[in-house]
Amino acid sequence: MGLFRRRKKPRVSSLDRAADSGDLAHLEAFIRSRRGVEAFIEPRTTVTETTVILIADDGEWTRRRIDGPDGARRFAYRMGIPVYDVRLMGYPQRMRDFNERRKRRPDQQL
């Protein structure tokens, strides 16, 4: 019957993954192809690891995983862009405006 058999603990599988070279390549390409890009470090959550969001001067943005807050700062320094902590600064208004424009005109790529 197995009443006294030890139960195996369920494996906790993470849906998240660590940053990889593809993430960094995407971030670098975004910086090279946009003007006025700034980096914002987003903290680790229970669902995702630390991420960095890059926001261009027109509000266009992209988000990718990064190897912790220090890794984000090193990346921004290497790329020569300013870096901020989103918990302290919040998201810039230009990003919210960009998202609003995109909602109003979903048929057009901005």
Side-chain angles (χ1 to χ4, degrees), residues 40-91:
F40 290 82
I41 302 169
E42 297 178 312
R44 179 177 183 236
T45 67
T46 56
V47 180
T48 60
E49 291 299 321
T50 303
T51 55
V52 65
I53 187 165
L54 299 180
I55 305 173
D57 65 351
D58 66 350
E60 185 179 3
W61 58 274
T62 189
R63 174 186 289 127
R64 291 292 185 270
R65 289 168 184 83
I66 196 88
D67 296 327
D70 290 336
R73 287 183 191 92
R74 282 191 304 270
F75 174 78
Y77 178 78
R78 182 169 55 84
M79 298 303 295
I81 62 172
V83 61
Y84 307 102
D85 189 328
V86 80
R87 291 177 294 184
L88 301 175
M89 301 293 292
Y91 296 101

Side-chain angles (χ1 to χ4, degrees), residues 7 9 18 20 46 56 61 74 85 87 90 94-95 104:
R7 289 185 182 182
K9 291 184 181 180
D20 61 21
T46 56
W61 58 274
R74 282 191 304 270
D85 189 328
R87 291 177 294 184
R94 68 182 184 273
M95 178 185 167
R104 287 189 202 145

